Amino acid sequence: MRLTLNIWRQAHSEAPGALVPYLVDDISPEMSFLEMLDVLNEQLTAEGEDPVAFDHDCREGICGMCGVVIDGIAHGPEALTTTCQLHMRHFNDGEEIDVEPWRSGAFPVLKDLVVDRSALDRIIASGGYITAPTGAAPEANSTPVAREDADRAFDAAACISCGACVAACPNGSASLFLGAKITHLGSLPQGQPERDSRAVEMTEQHEAEGFGGCTQIGECTAVCPAGIPLDMISQTSSDVLGALSRGNFS
Amino acid sequence: MSTLFTVGDPLVETKAPDGPIQDRWDTRRFEAGLISPANRRKRSVIMVGSGLAGGSAAATLGEAGYHVSVFCYQDSPRRAHSIAAQGGINAAKDYRNDGDSIRRLFYDTVKGGDYRARESNVYRLAQVSEAIIDQAVAQGVPFAREYGGLLNTRSFGGVQVSRTFYARGQTGQQLLLGAYQALERQIGAGTVEMHTRHEMLEVIVIDGRARGIVVRDMVTGAIETHLADAVVLASGGYGNVFHLSTNAMGCNVTATWRAHRKGAFFANPCYTQIHPTCIPVSGEHQSKLTLMSESLRNDGRIWVPTKKGDAREPREIPESERDYYLERQYPAFGNLVPRDVASRAAKNQCDAGYGVGPGGRGVYLDFADAIARLGRRTVEERYGNLFDMYQKITGEDPYRVPMRIYPAIHYTMGGLWVDYDLQSSLPGLFVIGEANFSDHGANRLGASALMQGLADGYFVLPNTLTDYLASHPLPADIDDSHPEARRAVEAVRARIDALLGVGGTRSVDSFHRELGAILWEHCGMERSSEGLQQAIVQIRALREEFWSDVRVTGSGAELNQALERAGRVADFFELAELMCIDALHREESCGAHFRTESQTEGGEAQRIDEDFTYVAAWEFVGDGSPPRLRREDLEFEHVELTQRSYT
């Protein structure tokens, strides 16, 4: 395949950026999208130009490090698929493809397609955990967990923290990410003691980081590679309301 | 061969206490020095790596009150490659009442490692395995459960009990999130300082002790000095030396290799594990290989056509024309033989011309029987995400067509040598998780990597490190201006300048690809004296070419991914040579290390216990000088050395 790529180039966070066209040839349908970018970078290196910077690591869809906006869609046209797992068989010879970084005020561009997503870590640090000091854990089978609760927790815990939900949201909200963690921990008996404070503190941190609010548009879940459903956002609202009515959080 | 290495004094002191094996860990903990909670804040630890080992250790040490600084090259500690582990984590809980015990897990691990691991360490691993599951469950790790709400388990290769706990096909992800969340809690509490997008490039050694590291801020390019009482490396394995592996793209040997050059012995580098169930290579462009969890072998059946070069659709090949070769050759374990056995068997089938798919480098992993027996829904529940991944990559539906699989480099049992305390031969430098060599011998059993990473991080290191911290605080008068700190910074700068200054014509990746091909050919699934000697010559020549013709664009003072890769590949060259020397000197086959010259009549690995029952720890003695072999003899008091047999 022969493709034209319009790629966002930006030298650093303060520099202006622009879409720059590149031509790549001999792209095989078996390649992943990132392997196609590897081909471009080899080509740029050979020409003495700066290769395109993009984040990636595991290349098997689980680490959450990769992610670009492809023709306006976070992670590209295939549902439930990270950029690294998107293969070129889904594109046509001669196609022109726009490649941009995640766009959100809370995710500043560091270089080209690389953005700073540390805000998501800070949301977890504000309460996205169960306090369980090493060594103090009770015997694992002493607390049975109903299978439907365990399954719900798992479905939520599948979030890979890639940030596509934020990139897709017209409000730049990380509500799907937030709801997934609140649902994961709140579905388990171990997560109950901190459930109220967790919901309130994480929600406050989400706002403090500059993410927008949720208006139930659903773009987030449409692009989510882990298939986190929209109702997990409702879980946040429900938990926050419950916490506020009980008032038992610090 | 004598010019390739020299032999030094044997390693005698491992710090493993004497006495009954089941009491040794107790004894060591009792003898270890302690630090009162009020004084812990004054003690500092540097942790390089934030995966299962580093993340769990940092969270635990932070919780205990120490001042911890964590460094990772990714943009978040949650991205560490532990996240990609699929199948499960072993623990001797014996919830199944199927004859499991600490002793059996210990025995299986020593046997699975082909009797090349240290008994005391492995026994301790089995002992703490139970507490890991308790810890993870308390953190909210959503393990698979039975309808009654209790934890479910499954079995894995090389064992006959069901002791593997799992979270669908994403066990590593869920365990890492547990450790990551515990770590973030400490970051929020201020006990842990997190430095993401920072890569360690040098160890600072002051008066013979590791006292700090030099890192590069991967966003700004700034070179920074960090000092602490002790340094812990939890930087993972070196499988990417092969270029194509199941590792993440960024996995590298730089942290451990730099430490090796400063005095930490590198043990058993040739013990590299090849995983039997990976998606085959599809073309030249391939940047990594994707693992399909070993757990698939619980329900999938491996076969090849009985006719060479049979190009029919697999579903059109009748039962009578299929060879379920693992079930035929190893009736007791069938498709669940250990990884090294399954990998070599696949290679042998393909070498003999029975392989399927492009280039005949693949065998079928078929779920038709499992779907008929259990129903599609159950299969989907167990392996859904793996099937989806397979379909995304290959464009084929494994519910209808058998998967094609082929072995790939997956895990490295070798790593920095550590004593029973997990301290390397460089005092003050501790090494945990895949980065050390300690527990898996010459072959790791499935679902034991997660166990070892978390055992080291949650339970072992926090006890042994305290002993060191109690007795060796960083002298108060040492700061960034210390001559050794400055020298380390200068070395890092000089190396970056050298890489940028070559100004050649070839990309870093093209060298990496070529290096990987040499290693895969000569130091992969099968090794021979002739091939290894040839590989050493080729590696040296290619390394020279690298340093005269590599092209690294851009500058050091910016986000520069080509520069990052160049530094890692430069270190891979040095490691690759040591791997080949190690593989060449070990003239026996053991576990994953298969020497053509040393096999049984049936083609299985043939150990030579009288000559090679030792750990090969390699000492760096200077550029251009052959490495020095330091043997640690292995003593087996609790298991009898036998020829591994899975028939």
Side-chain angles (χ1 to χ4, degrees):
Chain A
M1 286 194 273
R2 186 182 167 87
L3 303 164
T4 304
L5 304 167
N6 298 314
I7 301 185
W8 185 262
R9 301 304 307 259
Q10 183 173 338
H12 53 84
S13 52
E14 308 302 322
L19 285 171
V20 178
Y22 297 99
L23 207 64
V24 284
D25 219 338
D26 288 332
I27 297 301
S28 135
E30 303 301 319
M31 286 179 190
S32 69
F33 197 85
L34 298 185
E35 285 169 343
M36 182 273 294
L37 290 181
D38 291 341
V39 170
L40 170 67
N41 278 345
E42 283 290 295
Q43 190 178 307
L44 291 175
T45 306
E47 291 160 5
E49 276 189 61
D50 229 9
V52 178
F54 60 93
D55 265 335
H56 64 108
D57 205 20
C58 79
R59 295 208 177 184
E60 49 188 89
I62 193 81
C63 77
M65 186 113 171
C66 73
V68 290
V69 175
I70 301 165
D71 282 338
I73 303 171
H75 287 308
E78 286 294 293
L80 300 171
T81 304
T82 54
T83 305
C84 67
Q85 294 292 283
L86 174 66
H87 282 69
M88 298 311 292
R89 67 179 75 94
H90 301 292
F91 296 86
N92 301 313
D93 189 25
E95 212 171 315
E96 189 169 333
I97 307 169
D98 291 346
V99 188
E100 295 171 85
W102 286 170
R103 302 283 191 195
S104 163
F107 289 167
V109 173
L110 297 175
K111 183 176 180 179
D112 298 340
L113 304 173
V114 178
V115 300
D116 178 358
R117 289 169 288 194
S118 54
L120 298 180
D121 287 329
R122 290 189 292 273
I123 292 177
I124 297 297
S126 73
Y129 47 74
I130 290 171
T131 299
T134 307
E139 212 298 317
N141 258 348
S142 61
T143 312
V145 180
R147 191 157 155 177
E148 49 274 26
D149 293 339
D151 282 348
R152 169 110 171 136
F154 187 97
D155 289 342
C159 166
I160 61 170
S161 192
C162 61
C165 48
V166 179
C169 178
N171 305 331
S173 173
S175 288
L176 194 66
F177 166 82
L178 180 67
K181 191 46 64 189
I182 284 171
T183 305
H184 162 206
L185 300 175
S187 299
L188 296 167
Q190 292 86 352
Q192 297 314 308
E194 292 163 298
R195 187 167 173 176
D196 286 355
S197 57
R198 177 185 310 122
V200 172
E201 282 160 22
M202 288 181 75
T203 307
E204 283 176 352
Q205 188 66 33
H206 173 268
E207 205 178 310
E209 294 291 348
F211 292 109
C214 174
T215 49
Q216 295 279 324
I217 298 166
E219 290 287 340
C220 53
T221 191
V223 299
C224 176
I228 306 296
L230 203 58
D231 74 281
M232 287 184 183
I233 297 182
S234 323
Q235 187 71 53
T236 304
S237 321
S238 156
D239 280 18
V240 169
L241 282 176
L244 294 176
S245 66
R246 280 186 289 276
N248 56 353
F249 53 88
S250 55
Chain B
M1 190 162 113
S2 58
T3 54
L4 287 175
F5 67 94
T6 62
V7 180
D9 294 338
L11 286 168
V12 185
E13 183 50 76
T14 66
K15 288 209 200 95
D18 295 328
I21 196 163
Q22 64 274 17
D23 296 339
R24 288 179 192 166
W25 181 225
D26 244 8
T27 307
R28 182 71 194 109
R29 277 187 296 172
F30 182 71
E31 287 170 352
L34 301 175
I35 299 172
S36 74
N39 286 329
R40 291 177 193 164
R41 190 74 201 136
K42 299 173 205 152
R43 295 284 191 272
S44 55
V45 179
I46 283 170
M47 184 73 59
V48 181
S50 65
L52 282 182
S56 62
T60 303
L61 291 166
E63 175 96 45
Y66 297 102
H67 183 101
V68 186
S69 300
V70 182
F71 298 82
C72 71
Y73 72 77
Q74 300 91 341
D75 74 328
S76 161
R78 65 170 288 152
R79 314 258 188 240
H81 194 55
S82 308
I83 205 155
Q86 298 168 354
I89 176 165
N90 290 327
K93 283 282 199 187
D94 194 29
Y95 283 160
R96 294 276 179 174
N97 195 26
D98 60 359
D100 200 9
S101 61
I102 288 169
R103 183 150 193 131
R104 189 172 298 281
L105 175 52
F106 157 73
Y107 174 81
D108 286 344
T109 307
V110 173
K111 178 189 171 196
D114 218 1
Y115 310 99
R116 291 293 176 262
R118 196 188 286 151
E119 273 193 342
S120 304
N121 286 54
V122 179
Y123 200 90
R124 174 178 63 191
L125 175 68
Q127 280 175 312
V128 303
S129 69
E130 296 182 52
I132 296 170
I133 303 302
D134 300 340
Q135 182 62 30
V137 166
Q139 292 168 339
V141 171
F143 282 120
R145 289 180 181 267
E146 307 275 11
Y147 280 106
L150 300 178
L151 292 161
N152 202 352
T153 55
R154 58 188 172 197
S155 68
F156 245 62
V159 301
Q160 289 168 310
V161 293
S162 179
R163 65 159 76 97
T164 305
F165 296 79
Y166 64 100
R168 291 187 205 165
Q170 289 121 288
T171 316
Q173 177 195 32
Q174 293 308 318
L175 288 168
L176 183 62
L177 293 185
Y180 157 75
Q181 286 162 200
L183 176 64
E184 287 295 337
R185 187 165 77 86
Q186 294 309 315
I187 294 169
T191 62
V192 175
E193 235 176 76
M194 186 71 219
H195 304 264
T196 58
R197 295 195 196 268
H198 277 69
E199 183 159 28
M200 173 191 145
L201 297 176
E202 201 52 87
V203 190
I204 297 169
V205 181
I206 297 174
D207 297 331
R209 295 186 180 278
R211 293 300 194 183
I213 58 174
V214 179
V215 297
R216 180 171 177 272
D217 178 329
M218 294 158 74
V219 177
T220 65
I223 305 298
E224 303 169 2
T225 303
H226 295 266
L227 299 172
D229 295 316
V231 176
V232 183
L233 301 186
S235 50
Y238 51 86
N240 268 352
V241 66
F242 288 89
H243 183 250
L244 286 181
S245 82
T246 64
N247 285 186
M249 300 298 286
C251 291
N252 67 82
V253 77
T254 291
T256 47
W257 191 257
R258 293 283 120 195
H260 171 58
R261 292 175 57 96
K262 286 282 180 84
F265 301 159
F266 209 111
N268 302 332
C270 80
Y271 292 166
T272 53
Q273 183 170 71
I274 293 178
H275 199 290
T277 52
C278 301
I279 301 178
V281 173
S282 69
E284 271 295 302
H285 57 269
Q286 196 95 23
S287 61
K288 79 154 270 159
L289 294 168
T290 302
L291 174 81
M292 291 282 105
S293 166
E294 169 163 344
S295 63
L296 292 169
R297 290 197 277 145
N298 269 296
D299 290 309
R301 298 179 69 197
I302 294 175
W303 63 275
V304 291
T306 54
K307 209 167 70 191
K308 287 183 189 180
D310 194 333
R312 282 177 290 176
E313 286 297 314
R315 284 281 167 265
E316 287 166 16
I317 300 176
E319 273 303 303
S320 60
E321 293 176 46
R322 298 177 178 194
D323 180 11
Y324 295 89
Y325 59 89
L326 288 178
E327 296 171 25
R328 172 172 59 77
Q329 292 169 351
Y330 307 98
F333 284 76
N335 293 295
L336 286 175
V337 291
R339 293 175 172 178
D340 54 328
V341 176
S343 294
R344 260 196 316 278
K347 177 180 189 287
N348 290 341
Q349 292 296 332
C350 295
D351 287 350
Y354 297 102
V356 297
R361 302 319 289 182
V363 298
Y364 289 125
L365 175 62
D366 196 337
F367 287 86
D369 286 356
I371 291 168
R373 188 176 76 246
L374 306 163
R376 177 173 166 139
R377 194 165 155 209
T378 305
V379 171
E380 212 172 292
E381 270 174 20
R382 289 185 189 168
Y383 312 111
N385 71 311
L386 300 172
F387 279 43
D388 291 349
M389 195 194 290
Y390 183 86
Q391 183 160 15
K392 271 177 200 154
I393 293 171
T394 63
E396 292 172 3
D397 177 5
Y399 291 102
R400 294 192 306 107
V401 189
M403 288 182 177
R404 283 176 296 109
I405 54 164
Y406 197 67
I409 291 289
H410 178 54
Y411 185 88
T412 54
M413 285 72 68
L416 291 184
W417 182 89
V418 287
D419 61 19
Y420 189 70
D421 283 358
L422 305 181
Q423 186 168 199
S424 72
S425 55
L426 172 59
L429 184 89
F430 291 73
V431 192
I432 59 177
E434 190 178 348
N436 73 26
F437 88 107
S438 73
D439 295 352
H440 307 296
N443 177 51
R444 178 176 65 74
L445 289 180
S448 284
L450 305 185
M451 172 173 66
Q452 186 228 331
L454 290 178
D456 287 0
Y458 282 131
F459 299 108
V460 180
L461 182 83
N463 284 287
T464 59
L465 184 64
T466 306
D467 184 59
Y468 179 84
L469 293 174
S471 48
H472 300 95
L474 177 74
D477 58 341
I478 291 179
D479 61 20
D480 291 8
S481 65
H482 189 281
E484 286 303 330
R486 286 189 175 170
R487 234 192 302 277
V489 168
E490 279 321 304
V492 165
R493 286 192 201 284
R495 195 170 154 82
I496 289 172
D497 290 345
L499 288 165
L500 288 166
V502 176
T505 62
R506 285 183 63 181
S507 73
V508 175
D509 284 1
S510 74
F511 281 104
H512 194 184
R513 198 174 289 272
E514 202 175 328
L515 173 66
I518 296 171
L519 276 184
W520 180 245
E521 176 68 21
H522 298 299
C523 198
M525 254 184 289
E526 206 170 317
R527 293 117 183 229
S528 70
S529 172
E530 196 191 340
L532 288 163
Q533 292 183 60
Q534 207 180 318
I536 291 168
V537 173
Q538 290 173 349
I539 290 165
R540 286 178 178 171
L542 189 64
R543 181 176 157 196
E544 215 164 285
E545 193 185 335
F546 174 86
W547 281 105
S548 62
D549 196 27
V550 73
R551 171 181 284 183
V552 184
T553 53
S555 81
E558 59 176 334
L559 195 160
N560 186 340
Q561 294 173 325
L563 176 63
E564 294 160 17
R565 281 198 286 268
R568 295 169 192 164
V569 171
D571 287 332
F572 278 143
F573 272 112
E574 297 181 23
L575 166 74
E577 184 173 328
L578 186 67
M579 281 170 69
C580 291
I581 292 172
D582 187 41
L584 184 60
H585 111 282
R586 191 170 283 277
E587 293 169 343
E588 63 165 354
S589 295
C590 58
H593 170 62
F594 191 84
R595 280 288 297 264
T596 314
E597 302 92 337
S598 184
Q599 49 185 311
T600 64
E601 270 177 33
E604 302 295 342
Q606 175 74 62
R607 292 195 321 271
I608 306 175
D609 290 332
E610 56 277 23
D611 296 333
F612 291 102
T613 308
Y614 63 80
V615 173
W618 296 94
E619 181 181 0
F620 179 81
V621 282
D623 282 312
S625 301
R628 188 179 294 145
L629 172 64
R630 309 287 301 271
R631 294 192 183 96
E632 177 200 335
D633 284 328
L634 292 169
E635 285 163 32
F636 292 92
E637 303 166 61
H638 301 86
V639 295
E640 195 189 336
L641 273 67
T642 57
Q643 169 66 34
R644 278 194 318 167
S645 168
Y646 293 93
T647 55

